Amino acid sequence: MPENRRPFDYLSPLDARYYGTDTELYAALHPYLSEDATLAYRIKVEQALIAELEASGLAPAGTSAQMAEAVRAVTAEEVYAEERRIRHDVRALVNCICARLPEDVRGCVHLFATSYDIVDTARAVQMRDFARHVLLPDLSALGVTMIGMARAQATTVQIGRTHGRHAEPITVGYWLANHIDRLGQRAEMVALTAGHLRGKFSGAVGAHNQLALQWPADPAEFERRVLQRLGLRPSDRAVATQIVQPEFLTDFGHALVSTLGVLANIADDFRHLMRSEIDELAQRTDRTQVGSSTMPHKVNPVNFENVKSLWKAFVPRMVTLYMDQISEHQRDLTNSASSRFFNELVAAVDYAARRLRAAIADTDINPQAIERNLRASSAWIIAEPLYIALALSGHTDPYETSRELIERAVGQSKSLAELVRTDPDARRLVDGLEPQHQAVILDPSIYVGDAAQRTHLVCEVWEERLEPARLGAALRRPGDHTLVA
Amino acid sequence: MPENRRPFDYLSPLDARYYGTDTELYAALHPYLSEDATLAYRIKVEQALIAELEASGLAPAGTSAQMAEAVRAVTAEEVYAEERRIRHDVRALVNCICARLPEDVRGCVHLFATSYDIVDTARAVQMRDFARHVLLPDLSALGVTMIGMARAQATTVQIGRTHGRHAEPITVGYWLANHIDRLGQRAEMVALTAGHLRGKFSGAVGAHNQLALQWPADPAEFERRVLQRLGLRPSDRAVATQIVQPEFLTDFGHALVSTLGVLANIADDFRHLMRSEIDELAQRTDRTQVGSSTMPHKVNPVNFENVKSLWKAFVPRMVTLYMDQISEHQRDLTNSASSRFFNELVAAVDYAARRLRAAIADTDINPQAIERNLRASSAWIIAEPLYIALALSGHTDPYETSRELIERAVGQSKSLAELVRTDPDARRLVDGLEPQHQAVILDPSIYVGDAAQRTHLVCEVWEERLEPARLGAALRRPGDHTLVA
Amino acid sequence: MPENRRPFDYLSPLDARYYGTDTELYAALHPYLSEDATLAYRIKVEQALIAELEASGLAPAGTSAQMAEAVRAVTAEEVYAEERRIRHDVRALVNCICARLPEDVRGCVHLFATSYDIVDTARAVQMRDFARHVLLPDLSALGVTMIGMARAQATTVQIGRTHGRHAEPITVGYWLANHIDRLGQRAEMVALTAGHLRGKFSGAVGAHNQLALQWPADPAEFERRVLQRLGLRPSDRAVATQIVQPEFLTDFGHALVSTLGVLANIADDFRHLMRSEIDELAQRTDRTQVGSSTMPHKVNPVNFENVKSLWKAFVPRMVTLYMDQISEHQRDLTNSASSRFFNELVAAVDYAARRLRAAIADTDINPQAIERNLRASSAWIIAEPLYIALALSGHTDPYETSRELIERAVGQSKSLAELVRTDPDARRLVDGLEPQHQAVILDPSIYVGDAAQRTHLVCEVWEERLEPARLGAALRRPGDHTLVA
Amino acid sequence: MPENRRPFDYLSPLDARYYGTDTELYAALHPYLSEDATLAYRIKVEQALIAELEASGLAPAGTSAQMAEAVRAVTAEEVYAEERRIRHDVRALVNCICARLPEDVRGCVHLFATSYDIVDTARAVQMRDFARHVLLPDLSALGVTMIGMARAQATTVQIGRTHGRHAEPITVGYWLANHIDRLGQRAEMVALTAGHLRGKFSGAVGAHNQLALQWPADPAEFERRVLQRLGLRPSDRAVATQIVQPEFLTDFGHALVSTLGVLANIADDFRHLMRSEIDELAQRTDRTQVGSSTMPHKVNPVNFENVKSLWKAFVPRMVTLYMDQISEHQRDLTNSASSRFFNELVAAVDYAARRLRAAIADTDINPQAIERNLRASSAWIIAEPLYIALALSGHTDPYETSRELIERAVGQSKSLAELVRTDPDARRLVDGLEPQHQAVILDPSIYVGDAAQRTHLVCEVWEERLEPARLGAALRRPGDHTLVA
């Protein structure tokens, strides 16, 4: 019998550090992702089976109720003890349930089922429930926080950066809007692929062999009814091996890992904007926080670094999921241990979303620095609109002309606007442009395209679509949709 | 000026071995995936831009026609020579086009465009075209070959294998049907994600800055019109950085890599069924083929091994795509070289599909071996139906009873059927079962569930849905569908 | 204050299933890989620092002793509570230590240190200790078990298999010897790279800035002395950023992951030899074990499958280590969370080694099946020696001649030996060969080269070199060796 | 017969862009990494075999000379044509050689050899030669360029950055020195692992079966002699399957990939220091270069971005090498295609080293920006030395005291030095410190530890050890060393 132990007795940083010591995170994840939860979901599938057997007249009336009573008392401790004895995890669970049932109904428990009818089906329900009740709401909350910031900064002009170098201006809101839009689409992909997860109840080699003993005409009908009790469906043609076709989980994994990629990109942007020289964002601090163990003044973007670091830790695990697509013949078991680690991936993505949300909520914007950085490049910003304005005015070599003009200004340590005032050639060029183009060249901070309008559009769309109930809609109607048709 | 060279002068095995020396493959892939093709697709985007400028009155009437003439003469050789001079690939292309145009329209070329408006948009068209014209038809052809084999073997009973050990029977057709069903779904995912690829035309930082110079009210309208000429759309809210939101390509990459996983699983199954001891399948050989350089008799499943090996080579590359989701601020260029290798991945998946199809078409089935292997386990096969039949007849401990009976039979080196004839206890047990259950126990080869029916169902569905025109439907209506909504 | 909880309350399968519920594994790993252990090793480094400060006269005599007393009472619980308050893990540890020391010596604690002087140095000691005391002995034990089996089967002739097809014979011992030899070399690589791990004590940016305040002439001398107390060295030129040069850990990670690859290859071979049709190996079973939840007779190679599955789960994590080679400027923190997961990798490799050893010890050899499989191909085996013998006898086209002869035999359903008796051409060919070559063709089971001798050689060498004390030698003399010079 | 084609007809960006169009790179890599080269190295192994057969009296005197003549005329074109006919690559090569030899010696060609005796042995020689003649000199050249820069900037004080935030000062030279030191160690690891590559000549299942026909007493002696002619050895105990133990190549791959990690880290640092706001480094430009297709002024760190991007493309491929450690029984062929791609990895690392060297040589240092950035944080820099000085002077809570002082200064918008002049408490604190500590606080730019000295030490060591001849020493004495003993 394993002892109760402190989180610090454990190995995994998820358990020992992030989950085991964070009361709120623990409470949120335990019902879905703990080993206890995995067992509980397997029990749920066994119950759905019994209920259907009872409905079919193959189990005595009342068996479901007896079973409901029995499973209430089953503990992981005794299941593991039984597994240690007989070395089979699902059979151990069945034995523990049976031990609490009258002899005459024991034969009904697990009847017609092979282990992976239970295991794979349970995982589908577990992941769908976690997505609906925890992950999607957490992604939604992150989106909402970002939307608030984007709305507030929709018109704050900021220099855009490509290759780390100043390019053309955008607004702070627009920078965020692009990330919100990507995040929103990923959240919908998570919902779609979670809602697309399937169960099975077709036996050891997937051909409904065992069900055909009882229902030779349409053995898959019983499978459909058991799964329906769990809000699930089998694969569209109800074909399988011992396990569910792996791609449903692979797609869900891809949704998770690519969501983590968006989170990491957001985190990277925030931490780079907190660089000392850029300083456009800063982490809000309080008196008790220690920045560095020897440099008391340093406030570091540790939360954003943490999100990026989780990405490093988890994105390669997608390769494991791709490896698990391959199973020899009607299955080998080489995906057993590896797929148990799937819960870690799901937990990590959720934790990253929560931590990123908190970190963004804790971020201050420094308008002075944003303004300063923008102004530092105002001369250069003009190059592009100048080039285009020249082209639109019919200039034959606008690119080279614009380039030469910029270089002349730089050579004289002047902004282009200043050059225009002193250099007749430059003046002549500018005078030949449309008035609204001249305006942009005089005030490059208006060269922001539709940044503000698009920001509001994006916010509006995702305020609606990131609403958890709406996100969860993909999950509500199991099987009414298909991913690929 | 680079010389013409032999394939064997090159480094990549794709080029030197698989593509460069295979006339048919070369002809199929060159128009879409070669460096020439990449340039050609970029030119196509520049042409769409000119056409739209002309339609908008910003380029003189007839410019499109002049451009069409000009680009006909542009060669990769001169673009690369120009790039070597100015060190910028897209500007080099623009210069080469301009050099062939009258001076007065040169300013229209590439007007409003930033390099990645061209590069990312071109890639979307290129990949969509390749999917439609080559990859989807090749996946379809593979499916058709497998469907033919599955139909022919729909009722050939084969022992199912789990953990490499004999489990319960299926049919050869059903084994294939599960793979066909997975393949079909992946092909549809390829079509869906290819059809979902997007372009952009929103400038250096993605805010339509440059277009707003001309069309301040709705600068994105011009973007939509340019892309529409290519059968594309921008992202749903037309937001971007310098580059298209990466997830559209990431999803397409996932579709490709997970398709390769299904191909590898199929290949693994075929090669394992060709093991000397199993021998259920064999590669058809001809007189000229050499099996081994020292063992003339050996015919090895090299084609299936090749497909698995390509999977090993390419599945980790998905990590590169996940890395390329992250781009600092309005983009860094650290996805430039890495994304050029994407063409290799696409080519490899297509090559694997073609090679797998040919290998399957070249496979003989050995019914004697299938029968022999099935019979070898016929005693064991009975254990499961016996257990279930006992349970259905109300036996209280059917699992243990069945287990003990099997062990008794094995202890006496008898099949269960034989044991029943000599052992009164065994006989009594069996006599208590339903007649149709007794039948299964007497002839375990009928214990195949709905394997044959499902095989035909799967074949019927995919005969229709794998039809290339139907598969391509997802590609025909760009933007009419969304992946996630 | 986090509660004590059951293993089943946790997420990670390592914690909840493999480590948390296995008393022996828990006892072995807890002192090195748990979060408690990580803290304990950090304390060890703080103690080494205090000791050196005391020796240098910068801490009052007796401070070390006071500190030894103080740290005894420090718990992870209070360190985490303090971290929650100040949001800095190492400073939290320092505060907890200081709280138990007299005011006048508190300033000595952590003096001159930056957090990662402690963290990275602690990890090096922790990993070296785990390698010496647990992992290397476990790899050694696995080797010893395999050596026992190889010795016993050194001369048992077995058909060798390439491409899954029968090739030429080896011996069972020789098959194992190759794996033993690979395993032994990996164990030595683990020892070498663990012994090569380095610490640092050079401050926030790695230039010994803080130490130069006190010792301007040779500030690195103090670093060397602190590390020496822990049996460590800094990097060879004592250069660093805030963190130790990452490659020492990357190399250790490579040693671990490539070791896991050898374990997975061994596991794959065992499980394939347990296939129903091959049957050369079998898992020993006992009465209580359940093979399948519905097929009571099935005994599956679940332990070998588990080892392969752990490989799938952990091999991609090497990519995380490669990502962690990159740290911006004098370090970013994006390796913080990711590197915490390193403990999981180390634990998994050790667990895989233990489980593989137990599984091999639990494996029975089936000489009848080995003999049967060998005989099934005896005709074919002759092809290669025949070809070579023909060549050695001066035949001009031995390859084709041998090939034709084999085909003729097969066409007549005869072994080559039989063909020789009836076919004058065949007889003539064979008669022209050297007598010892004719012997091989008459009895292909002697065509095993030096399989037996090499088996014994390999066993002899590794019996000596896998001795834990000898393996640990690489770890005993920190810094006396270098990996690359 | 495949046609000659332009680079742009190919798929791989390596071939079409980086290698095929770069005369110098092409000339350097073609002799080692092209498909031609692979064939040439296989021929070399066949020649070593013939030479040894001749020396052993098994081939007529003069056969080597005839063979040397024959192979001169063999082309990849005809080998591929023959392979197309017989579908076996190595046998095709053998046939092409034989076709040019007198009938009576044809039987000697490839005698005793299995395909992978040739293939794996050839690869070892090929990689060793490439490392010696190209890759190590290129890594050396990169080191030399960096050493030149580090020497020149050994004392240029620069603010060190951790978490992207200003920390404590180092020197530009020291920043580089750490990278040089890492690079040097990786180059030595490349040399060591390349020198450690092994061949084999032990036949189809690795037990020297075929050699024992001729030399029953010590069949491995012939293997040793063939390999010695190529400067190689077999594995230490001369055990193998059909292929060389995979770990020798895996280790070499790890050396390559981890070298690429160091290159990518260097590239990242350079490009971040080129950010507009930091501006400490700049790419030297010339008049013809185009920075952006629409922003003529922008000079982007594209070369450094390219190196990072190559890292993204190639680091995941290490997973393929780990997958290729697993081969069923005496080998399956699922590493065949995947291992052909190894040449791409080697080429990419070399290309990255070359491009990085050129980019660094093309980088200007901006001392004004370095000075400006340093000064911007001079107040903060003092915090750490102040804290330590306080501690050394016996202060009881130096960390909090230092922290409060800094905050007071910041609150008054003063530097600490200024605060000391006006705030009696601050003055008192500082007056109580050692004079040399006060000096540092007055001029934080001297707070650089031993940065300059260590820079020179590192440069000195690697000037010597990166000398190509010295680096190649590990390669000169094949087999005199072992990696792990």
Side-chain angles (χ1 to χ4, degrees), chain A residues 162 166 287 292 298 399 403, chain D residues 162 287 292 298 399 403:
Chain A
T162 60
H166 288 183
R287 188 61 196 83
S292 146
K298 275 198 78 190
Y399 185 81
R403 179 189 170 120
Chain D
T162 58
R287 188 62 197 80
S292 147
K298 275 199 76 189
Y399 185 82
R403 180 190 170 121

Side-chain angles (χ1 to χ4, degrees), chain A residues 276-277, chain D residues 166 370-381:
Chain A
S276 294
E277 290 88 354
Chain D
H166 288 184
I370 293 174
E371 167 78 19
R372 183 196 66 215
N373 292 334
L374 177 67
R375 247 178 322 166
S377 287
S378 56
W380 305 107
I381 294 171

Side-chain angles (χ1 to χ4, degrees), chain B residues 27 65 114 126 151 163 193 202 303 354 435 472:
Chain B
T114 200
Q126 185 177 12
R151 290 273 202 201
H163 313 260
T193 54
S202 51
N303 295 309
R354 285 168 175 247

Side-chain angles (χ1 to χ4, degrees), chain A residues 89-335:
Chain A
D89 58 351
V90 175
R91 176 52 58 184
L93 173 62
V94 171
N95 289 356
C96 291
I97 296 171
C98 286
R100 288 189 167 75
L101 287 174
E103 279 219 358
D104 65 323
V105 300
R106 288 183 187 172
C108 302
V109 177
H110 198 70
L111 184 62
F112 294 122
T114 199
S115 300
Y116 269 72
D117 290 343
I118 307 303
V119 170
D120 271 9
T121 301
R123 192 197 310 278
V125 189
Q126 184 177 12
M127 290 302 149
R128 192 198 56 196
D129 284 3
F130 181 72
R132 181 186 299 165
H133 297 300
V134 184
L135 181 56
L136 290 171
D138 283 340
L139 291 172
S140 176
L142 168 61
V144 167
T145 297
M146 292 177 71
I147 287 169
M149 192 173 174
R151 289 273 202 201
Q153 308 292 334
T155 58
T156 311
V157 182
Q158 177 190 39
I159 185 67
R161 291 165 178 92
T162 60
H163 312 261
R165 309 272 310 157
H166 288 183
E168 303 299 330
I170 54 169
T171 68
V172 172
Y174 188 68
W175 158 62
L176 290 164
N178 183 53
H179 286 317
I180 292 164
D181 200 49
R182 294 170 64 196
L183 177 69
Q185 291 172 79
R186 287 299 100 186
E188 290 188 346
M189 180 66 100
V190 168
L192 188 66
T193 53
H196 206 54
L197 291 169
R198 306 300 174 92
K200 77 172 278 264
F201 201 81
S202 50
V205 293
H208 308 96
N209 311 50
Q210 77 304 28
L211 297 173
L213 285 174
Q214 184 71 14
W215 302 280
D218 183 7
E221 173 60 18
F222 186 81
E223 173 181 46
R224 278 189 292 274
R225 290 205 310 264
V226 171
L227 295 180
Q228 198 161 22
R229 289 179 177 270
L230 297 158
L232 286 180
R233 287 202 318 167
S235 73
D236 289 346
R237 263 67 58 193
V239 291
T241 58
Q242 187 173 85
I243 53 179
V244 171
Q245 293 176 344
E247 284 72 32
F248 299 106
L249 196 69
T250 316
D251 287 344
F252 181 51
H254 167 68
L256 294 172
V257 166
S258 58
T259 298
L260 193 52
V262 173
L263 303 186
N265 198 157
I266 296 169
D268 255 6
D269 271 9
F270 272 82
R271 70 184 185 90
H272 282 308
L273 292 177
M274 289 181 175
R275 283 171 166 277
S276 294
E277 290 88 354
I278 298 180
D279 208 28
E280 299 189 356
L281 301 177
Q283 193 188 315
R284 204 170 302 130
T285 57
D286 61 48
R287 188 61 196 83
T288 51
Q289 183 175 357
V290 168
S292 146
S293 72
T294 66
M295 297 171 285
H297 61 287
K298 275 198 78 190
V299 177
N300 298 319
V302 293
N303 295 309
F304 297 108
E305 291 171 320
N306 180 273
V307 171
K308 176 71 178 291
S309 197
L310 288 169
W311 175 85
K312 286 185 182 180
F314 283 90
V315 74
R317 300 198 188 184
M318 190 65 203
V319 177
T320 303
L321 281 167
Y322 288 127
M323 287 177 173
D324 280 343
Q325 278 188 276
I326 300 183
S327 197
E328 293 161 11
H329 310 297
Q330 280 60 58
R331 86 84 53 106
D332 61 66
L333 195 79
T334 66
N335 74 332

Side-chain angles (χ1 to χ4, degrees), chain D residues 197-210:
Chain D
L197 291 168
R198 306 299 173 93
K200 76 173 279 264
F201 201 81
S202 50
V205 292
H208 308 96
N209 310 50
Q210 78 303 27

